[in-house]
Amino acid sequence: MSPAHRLVTICLVSLVTIIAFEAMAISTAMPIIARDLDAVRSYGLAFSAMLTTQLLGIVLAGVWCDRRGPLPSLFAGQALMAAGTAVAGLAPTFLVLLAGRLVAGLGAGLLTVAIYVVIGRAYPETLRPRVFSWISAAWVLPSLVGPPVAGWLAETFSWRWVFLVVVVPVAGTMVVVASRHETMRDDSDSELSPTPVAEQRRLVVLGLVVAVAAGAMQWGAESLVPLRVLPLVATVAGLAGVLAASPRLVPRGTLRMARGLPSVMLSRFLLTASFNGAMTFVPLMLILSRGLGATVAGAMLTIGAVGWSAGSWVQGQHRFAGHRSSLVSVGGASLAVGVAGLPAVAGFHLPYGLVGVAAALCGTGMGLAMSSTSVLSLSLSPVAEHGRTSSSLQLADVLGSVMGIAAAGSVFAALHDGVRSDIPTFVLMWLVLAAVAALAVPGGQRTRVPGGERTRT
């Protein structure tokens, strides 16, 4: 918050606060939305569909930021997010709501990469851990007020207001950034990517392939039961497309957990797959299986987000500056224990308050590990490639979320019939996701690079 960085910090924190409120509020209200629009079986699709276009936005933003700097992507992301949120809030059907989520997802993808590039270019390396702490802290207030406000709006007025209240703040930040954009421009904007134009176009095409393949995979997985040929083909083809294209958008060696930047990317994928796949279905379990209200269910997400902020604050302390790899491993272990606690609460019918304990462990682990992977990704790549590196990191982030939510959603859609209890389904989903989180423990250790040399993307 020094004079040299104050305006940039305020703009970034404001944007993240809005994104955080949208995420927390809509996660709280979505069980009510799905029930109102007769789309409970497609519950997971409301989240993973948005993440699919976010994948495309992330790849586009990586190329765009390296060619033109972060500001054009920042402006476009805000405009698309406002428009998509408005469409979702006014949607008469679930399909229209999905369309709005797709537009908002594209905007969110453009925004997230631009924010990372601004941090990489506007702040010295010594300040970046503290900046990521501020970014994580920006989730605290939305985490505290988002779920109760969303629950109150959905239960008192309409779930539509949960979307519509986001539109004006997004438009407001767009005006502020546009009016003071010169202050956010850094001299390093002149240090643009040396990547050839043909290579950048190839990245855009690959990003489109990943987005389309992920969308086909999600649609097919949601429609597998009863088993039909077309959904099965879409699922298999989509999964094949993701596996074929996505490794070419991240550092070489990511799939085999090669040491350095590749392990940063894979750890990020594992963390987000487990966390988002698990936490997305917490409100649904509490509302459908325990009969709780949206406000109480949302409070569990609040506890998880506060734990995330606490973990991020801890990693931002100077005493941990040389222990980033260990923080990733510790964070993965905490996440695995937290996710494993969810099936215990559901399967043994323990008091629902223990979900808050599990959520706190999950959030703390994510705060430790996610901010640390962000710092590692920037320190292991040159400034001129921060756009592509940030794009790869966000790609791993969102692809992990898509795969985690889509896998959990397909299991839920296949086993949910509206008659039998969904508790065994929740238990199965969460046990598998806990095992996924545990893989981030060795992944964190392999992010350590001897001598701190940079790894090319």
Side-chain angles (χ1 to χ4, degrees):
M1 294 298 289
S2 65
H5 302 105
R6 184 178 299 129
L7 183 61
V8 179
T9 303
I10 290 173
C11 288
L12 295 180
V13 169
S14 298
L15 285 170
V16 174
T17 299
I18 294 168
I19 294 171
F21 178 85
E22 190 264 359
M24 297 298 297
I26 292 174
S27 294
T28 300
M30 193 56 72
I32 295 175
I33 298 170
R35 189 167 54 195
D36 186 47
L37 297 180
D38 192 25
V40 173
R41 286 189 77 245
S42 300
Y43 174 84
L45 196 59
F47 297 93
S48 56
M50 178 178 178
L51 293 170
T52 299
T53 50
Q54 193 170 341
L55 284 170
L56 178 59
I58 284 168
V59 177
L60 292 175
V63 174
W64 202 358
C65 288
D66 282 343
R67 286 177 61 87
R68 305 297 181 189
L71 291 176
S73 180
L74 204 62
F75 294 142
Q78 291 173 94
L80 288 171
M81 187 171 181
T85 304
V87 170
L90 299 173
T93 66
F94 187 68
L95 286 178
V96 177
L97 183 138
L98 287 180
R101 298 284 281 169
L102 291 173
V103 174
L106 182 60
L110 295 174
L111 270 178
T112 51
V113 173
I115 288 172
Y116 271 66
V117 176
V118 167
I119 292 173
R121 296 189 177 188
Y123 298 90
E125 187 169 351
T126 55
L127 283 182
R128 290 173 194 162
R130 190 62 57 87
V131 175
F132 284 117
S133 294
W134 277 80
I135 294 299
S136 293
W139 282 77
V140 174
L141 183 59
S143 300
L144 293 174
V145 304
V149 167
W152 175 73
L153 286 173
E155 293 173 345
T156 305
F157 298 101
S158 170
W159 56 262
R160 299 181 185 279
W161 284 105
V162 178
F163 289 95
L164 297 177
V165 296
V166 176
V167 177
V168 174
V170 174
T173 57
M174 186 176 178
V175 171
V176 172
V177 172
S179 64
R180 302 298 300 274
H181 69 279
E182 288 297 332
T183 309
M184 298 184 68
R185 195 184 303 275
D186 188 72
D187 290 339
S188 61
D189 281 349
S190 60
E191 189 177 354
L192 298 179
S193 174
T195 306
V197 173
E199 173 66 10
Q200 293 178 338
R201 289 175 179 168
R202 184 186 71 86
L203 293 176
V204 172
V205 172
L206 287 173
L208 182 60
V209 170
V210 170
V212 172
M217 180 189 69
Q218 292 166 66
W219 175 80
E222 291 281 343
S223 308
L224 278 177
V225 178
L227 187 62
R228 291 171 293 169
V229 174
L230 185 58
L232 180 60
V233 170
T235 302
V236 174
L239 180 60
V242 169
L243 293 177
S246 57
R248 302 169 70 182
L249 289 166
V250 294
R252 289 188 296 271
T254 295
L255 291 182
R256 57 184 173 83
M257 202 181 282
R259 188 169 294 279
L261 197 56
S263 287
V264 173
M265 301 301 171
L266 185 58
S267 296
R268 187 83 164 210
F269 173 89
L270 296 169
L271 291 164
T272 56
S274 177
F275 181 82
N276 289 295
M279 297 304 292
T280 294
F281 285 85
V282 166
L284 190 66
M285 186 275 287
L286 293 174
I287 291 174
L288 291 187
S289 300
R290 293 292 180 98
L292 301 175
T295 302
V296 175
M300 302 304 158
L301 300 182
T302 296
I303 294 171
V306 171
W308 188 320
S309 297
S312 183
W313 178 83
V314 169
Q315 69 78 36
Q317 303 305 299
H318 290 301
R319 68 175 69 96
F320 296 114
H323 304 281
R324 295 285 157 203
S325 298
S326 297
L327 288 174
V328 175
S329 294
V330 172
S334 179
L335 175 62
V337 173
V339 174
L342 295 173
V345 174
F348 294 105
H349 301 284
L350 301 177
Y352 72 84
L354 293 177
V355 172
V357 177
L361 287 170
C362 291
T364 301
M366 291 295 282
L368 291 171
M370 293 290 281
S371 295
S372 294
T373 55
S374 298
V375 174
L376 285 168
S377 69
L378 295 177
S379 64
L380 291 172
S381 60
V383 173
E385 295 186 7
H386 276 178
R388 183 174 177 181
T389 299
S390 298
S391 178
S392 295
L393 188 70
Q394 296 301 314
L395 178 76
D397 198 344
V398 177
L399 189 59
S401 299
V402 168
M403 298 295 282
I405 295 173
S410 63
V411 171
F412 182 82
L415 300 180
H416 173 77
D417 59 9
V419 178
R420 294 173 297 178
S421 171
D422 291 314
I423 292 297
T425 305
F426 289 125
V427 170
L428 174 63
M429 292 181 340
W430 285 329
L431 285 175
V432 173
L433 291 169
V436 171
L439 294 175
V441 177
Q445 291 303 307
R446 294 190 62 78
T447 62
R448 185 178 291 108
V449 178
E453 71 262 22
R454 285 172 171 163
T455 302
R456 302 290 291 186
T457 57

